[in-house]
Amino acid sequence: MGRLHVVTGKGGTGKTTVAAALALALARGGKRTLLVEVEGRQGIAQLFETAPLPYEERKIAVSHGDGEVHALAIDAERALLDYLQMFYKLGSAGRALKRLGAIDFATTIAPGLRDVLLTGKACEAVRRRDKRQRPVYDAVVMDAPPTGRITRFLGVNEEVAGLAKVGPVHNQAQAVMRVLKSPQTAVHLVTLLEEMPVQETVDGIAELRAAGLPAASVVVNMVRAGLPGEDQLLAPHRHTDELTGALARAFSQAGLGTAGGGGHAERLVAPLLEQGREHAERVALERGLRTELRAQGLPVRELGRLSEGVDLPGLYGLATALHDQWHTGEPA
């Protein structure tokens, strides 16, 4: 059975990068995944260094073990035409509505309708079967809207089903919600070890749970590498004057100037101590934020910061880290 993985996160946390890495990770070992973009930014095409995605499913990458990643940029207008054709058999009348601008008008004045179309298309890919009744895709990964509106985005079909009591619209909305509220769906929240993204993630988890939607994991992105001796920074230190003198003498012995009377070695100490104090505060903050995230009762996975920026080799590296953590349950 295929599964829908919804990836959300506050702007700037790298949710599109994480969604792409997850699609690669889930495709390992000869599997097929579909990576879906719903915000029209063509971020997936940029990550995979390919041409802008059309409104059709296209293979864009091969994962380890000959797995395949396909991608789709969902266009709300085209999705609405598909929807009208599926349920109302409009044929050329649907194309006429597009020429008249009615399709664009409908998806613009009713943002809830756009969300219905976008989630509906992704859920259709999850449910799709081949001629042998096997899932066409082992997993569908959606690069979803930001955390602040993810609950409304995923829950809009429930509102539509309530408004349309009978008929194909009601049935379609109910079918989508059955997928979104089932074990077939997993919502992953991407964050950074910073106060605002973590708070938005905690709030997002609470909102998803209140709506009966499946919050599944937290992915902490762009985690800095630890430095040797960080634990010592958090330990109680000796009196500042004593520490300053000890460091100045050590610098002097290393040939960095004299230690007493305001010598060069002594002048080096204060800036270094200030940097150490700031770094200690950062380490303590990050540890507190990790504790807050783990208190949410979800698996927490971590991805390191790519020093050269996100390129294809880096993306495959992130995919390997996610794959390893999925199987061990521990950060890489």
Side-chain angles (χ1 to χ4, degrees), residues 196-268:
M196 287 185 63
V198 167
Q199 186 58 56
E200 188 163 312
T201 299
V202 171
D203 293 342
I205 292 169
E207 291 173 3
L208 288 166
R209 286 172 169 166
L213 292 164
S217 77
V218 174
V219 179
V220 184
N221 196 22
M222 294 185 270
V223 176
R224 62 166 188 83
L227 298 176
E230 278 188 343
D231 289 337
Q232 297 178 23
L233 288 173
L234 302 179
H237 290 294
R238 293 175 291 176
H239 190 273
T240 302
D241 291 342
E242 181 184 351
L243 183 60
T244 299
L247 287 173
R249 288 190 294 275
F251 290 157
S252 179
Q253 291 171 6
L256 297 176
T258 58
H264 182 69
E266 200 167 72
R267 291 197 300 272
L268 289 174

Side-chain angles (χ1 to χ4, degrees), residues 157-158 161-162 165 168-179:
N157 283 275
E158 202 158 50
K165 299 297 185 183
V169 174
H170 173 82
N171 295 337
Q172 165 72 357
Q174 280 199 322
V176 170
M177 288 312 301
R178 280 196 295 272
V179 172

